Amino acid sequence: MFAPDGVKCYHRVMVSPRRKLGRIGRLAACLLPALCLSLDAGLYAQEPPSMTAGGSSDALVVERSDANYRITVPGTHWKAPSQPINPSADFERVNEASDAFCMVITEEEPFTLETLREVVLFHARSASTKLSERPGSPTKCRVDGKDALRVEFAAGIDGTEISYQTTCLVAGGIAYQIVCAAPSTLFAGVAKDFASFVDSFRLLAERSPRPFPVPAPHENPALNYRVAAPGAGWRIPAARTLSTADYECRRVSTYAFCQIVAEVGETDLDTLRAVAVANAKSESGEFRLISDDPDTIGGKPSRRVEFLTRVGENAVRFLAQYVVADGVAYQLVCWSPDSLATPNRPDFDAFFRGFALLGRPPRPPRPGIPPTHFSDTLGYRCAAPSGQWRTPADRLNPDSDFEIERPGTQGYALVIGEALEGEMPLDKFVEEVQVGLHEGGTYLAQPGGGATRIDGVEAQTFECTVDLEGITYRYTVTCAVLGGRGYQIYGWSLDELFEKNREDFAKFLASWRWTSEGRE
């Protein structure tokens, strides 16, 4: 991608500088868009349903002894679908004439009717657009003599408005969702069948909830910490929602997650907190910081940060603790739908209290050899400021000639050089570079810079901030024109971390030397 007059503007083709150190995970990847799904694939998803009436997949009476219920299909015109509509459903039936379906989903988790309703709506919003709950919903009702809630809403799916009627029931430690849905224009035509389907639901026996175990504490000697799940009803998932997490536990019944990301390396608390919050802003549709306060965790100073994000139509609330201790950066992140934040907060606080350091700090990584670079083509050489700087694993810009990063302070630097078309004075070249930065985001010139020299050659330095997706980056840019080539030397970081990197940016520029090829 090029700015006018052929001057490459690195900023417009550069990915935002995010690394594992500051990640709390991509929110969109955490919020699994599964309509009316339980958190996992359903308690009985791996077992074929045991049904009466000879076990036929089109049986009119379906009995699930494992899930303790029986239900009657509205009629023979309701058939088993050729492919599953929802992999979490115990069973499903479709009415092809009305494009309607009905199903039952069960989960043996300590739900209440209210939390079950919130989880149903959360998943529905994740899988649809323009979801609207019907006036008066939810309504109290009775199913087989038990208190239940009927949740009614409409949602846009693939351009069609679908009306849903989900009856929520909790009995014997099992949460039941009796789901009925059809295109809104056809819903009235199958309403009687849906009513018959729900009214036919029967529990097979009265049973008491089974006790829910408490997961064993987790200990990681390599990262020097121990933590425990908040209590009963929490479990350790077979697959983590966040791939970079060292630890994760979740509670299905309140759709709550607790995660730890830990990394050995050079950083400090201010940097960790700044990068984590910046990443949260960049990964969400909306971001609102609620609180950011000093705290302690595991006996060490920390930052306790609470923020609200929006992913699609869902509001998600995060409560996080950031701490750096004995050379390890820890992010303890808890989150749930905003509507369930209040019931989850005591468990989140318990999770933080359960975090402890083991007292066996890992050996810090030894500083490496500072990367150096020699360019025959562009006629210069330069070196990284110290061994804390390294060559990035992934390119920051495909047009750059040399790149370095310092993860511990989230500092980045690179060089772009290219042949210019015709003679271009230095001040004109600087203007073209600034134009490109203007086009990359909301540009604001900052004090500092001016005329300078790099290895005896006239140059010009300027500083600026650029706002991208609500995140402010600060840059120092030095431009030079020599031998028909234009050179751009960049150093940048998050605005609030720039001063931590300023001295290193100056050392990087001071290392610059022109070779004989560059002076020709």
Side-chain angles (χ1 to χ4, degrees):
M1 194 174 294
F2 295 84
D5 293 337
V7 178
K8 298 175 182 176
C9 174
Y10 92 95
H11 185 80
R12 293 163 59 192
V13 297
M14 188 196 80
V15 296
S16 296
R18 303 176 193 129
R19 291 293 180 267
K20 180 184 175 184
L21 171 66
R23 294 191 65 82
I24 60 169
R26 300 185 67 87
L27 302 184
C30 296
L31 311 181
L32 304 177
L35 179 60
C36 298
L37 276 168
S38 301
L39 186 61
D40 293 319
L43 182 62
Y44 311 104
Q46 303 304 315
E47 306 174 15
S50 55
M51 296 178 287
T52 60
S56 167
S57 61
D58 286 326
L60 291 179
V61 179
V62 178
E63 185 172 300
R64 292 296 303 268
S65 58
D66 47 5
N68 194 37
Y69 76 90
R70 180 179 66 249
I71 200 165
T72 302
V73 177
T76 56
H77 52 293
W78 289 83
K79 303 291 185 181
S82 58
Q83 294 182 342
I85 300 170
N86 186 328
S88 294
D90 286 355
F91 83 99
E92 304 167 321
R93 294 293 183 269
V94 296
N95 182 337
E96 294 183 355
S98 301
D99 288 332
F101 66 85
C102 55
M103 65 177 66
V104 176
I105 301 170
T106 59
E107 189 83 48
E108 191 167 6
E109 294 288 347
F111 279 96
T112 66
L113 287 177
E114 289 73 20
T115 59
L116 182 56
R117 169 198 176 241
E118 291 296 337
V119 172
V120 166
L121 291 174
F122 183 87
H123 282 297
R125 293 189 192 100
S126 297
S128 61
T129 58
K130 298 181 179 178
L131 182 141
S132 59
E133 196 169 2
R134 299 298 189 192
S137 176
T139 56
K140 295 180 179 180
C141 60
R142 304 278 289 179
V143 174
D144 193 22
K146 305 288 186 181
D147 289 336
L149 280 181
R150 183 161 296 148
V151 183
E152 298 180 86
F153 56 91
I157 298 179
D158 295 332
T160 300
E161 184 184 88
I162 308 295
S163 289
Y164 289 83
Q165 183 187 89
T166 298
T167 303
C168 300
L169 173 69
V170 178
I174 298 178
Y176 301 90
Q177 300 173 52
I178 309 171
V179 183
C180 303
S184 296
T185 55
L186 302 174
F187 192 91
V190 288
K192 289 184 179 180
D193 279 0
F194 287 157
S196 172
F197 182 63
V198 176
D199 290 344
S200 72
F201 181 92
R202 294 291 183 272
L203 296 171
L204 298 179
E206 291 292 332
R207 51 175 280 183
S208 299
R210 293 188 296 188
F212 293 95
V214 178
H218 171 76
E219 187 171 297
N220 188 328
L223 293 171
N224 193 36
Y225 79 91
R226 179 178 63 250
V227 75
W234 287 80
R235 61 187 182 191
I236 309 300
R240 293 175 187 148
T241 302
L242 178 59
S243 61
T244 56
D246 180 66
Y247 173 82
E248 179 176 313
C249 62
R250 59 180 71 167
R251 180 171 176 161
V252 175
S253 58
T254 55
Y255 206 76
F257 294 75
C258 296
Q259 299 158 331
I260 294 179
V261 176
E263 185 176 20
V264 178
E266 173 232 5
T267 192
D268 57 58
L269 181 56
D270 290 339
T271 300
L272 178 63
R273 174 257 169 214
V275 175
V277 171
N279 282 335
K281 288 181 181 180
S282 67
E283 300 287 1
S284 61
E286 296 179 17
F287 177 92
R288 179 162 63 90
L289 184 65
I290 296 171
S291 61
D292 183 357
D293 302 306
D295 202 354
T296 58
I297 187 169
K300 299 291 185 177
S302 68
R303 296 293 298 191
R304 182 185 174 105
V305 180
E306 184 172 354
F307 54 91
L308 191 66
T309 69
R310 183 167 294 276
V311 180
E313 295 191 9
N314 278 312
V316 183
R317 186 175 291 255
F318 287 78
L319 189 61
Q321 286 271 14
Y322 305 115
V323 60
V324 177
D326 300 320
V328 184
Y330 302 94
Q331 301 174 64
L332 287 75
V333 183
C334 303
W335 62 270
S336 74
D338 186 43
S339 58
L340 293 173
T342 298
N344 282 317
R345 187 175 293 273
D347 277 357
F348 291 165
D349 287 335
F351 179 68
F352 294 147
R353 289 195 300 271
F355 177 84
L357 298 172
L358 299 178
R360 299 190 295 271
R363 179 176 297 176
R366 298 177 62 183
I369 299 174
T372 58
H373 183 67
F374 183 92
S375 176
D376 282 330
T377 304
L378 295 174
Y380 74 94
R381 58 183 171 87
C382 63
S386 70
Q388 277 78 33
W389 289 78
R390 68 188 186 192
T391 302
D394 302 316
R395 291 293 299 272
L396 301 174
N397 184 304
D399 290 326
S400 67
D401 185 61
F402 180 54
E403 301 177 340
I404 52 175
E405 66 176 1
R406 184 176 179 180
T409 58
Q410 293 291 293
Y412 299 84
L414 59 76
V415 177
I416 293 177
E418 65 174 335
L420 301 177
E421 296 180 1
E423 293 187 8
M424 182 180 292
L426 177 59
D427 56 354
K428 176 63 174 176
F429 181 68
V430 172
E431 288 178 9
E432 297 294 352
V433 172
Q434 292 173 335
V435 166
L437 287 166
H438 271 282
E439 294 177 0
T442 304
Y443 176 97
L444 183 63
Q446 297 294 331
T452 186
R453 302 187 77 82
I454 51 175
D455 192 25
V457 172
E458 181 183 5
Q460 187 166 326
T461 297
F462 65 90
E463 292 189 12
C464 65
T465 56
V466 178
D467 187 88
L468 287 168
E469 301 172 349
I471 303 171
T472 303
Y473 300 95
R474 189 179 184 106
Y475 301 85
T476 176
V477 186
T478 300
C479 300
V481 174
L482 183 65
R485 302 185 186 95
Y487 297 85
Q488 304 170 57
I489 307 167
Y490 289 89
W492 82 95
S493 69
L494 291 172
D495 186 30
E496 60 188 297
L497 299 177
F498 187 83
E499 292 304 322
K500 292 178 179 290
N501 292 288
R502 181 183 289 279
E503 183 177 352
D504 275 358
F505 293 152
K507 289 180 179 178
F508 179 59
L509 186 62
S511 75
W512 188 281
R513 294 294 183 270
W514 301 105
T515 66
S516 57
E517 290 85 354
R519 293 183 181 275
E520 289 179 354

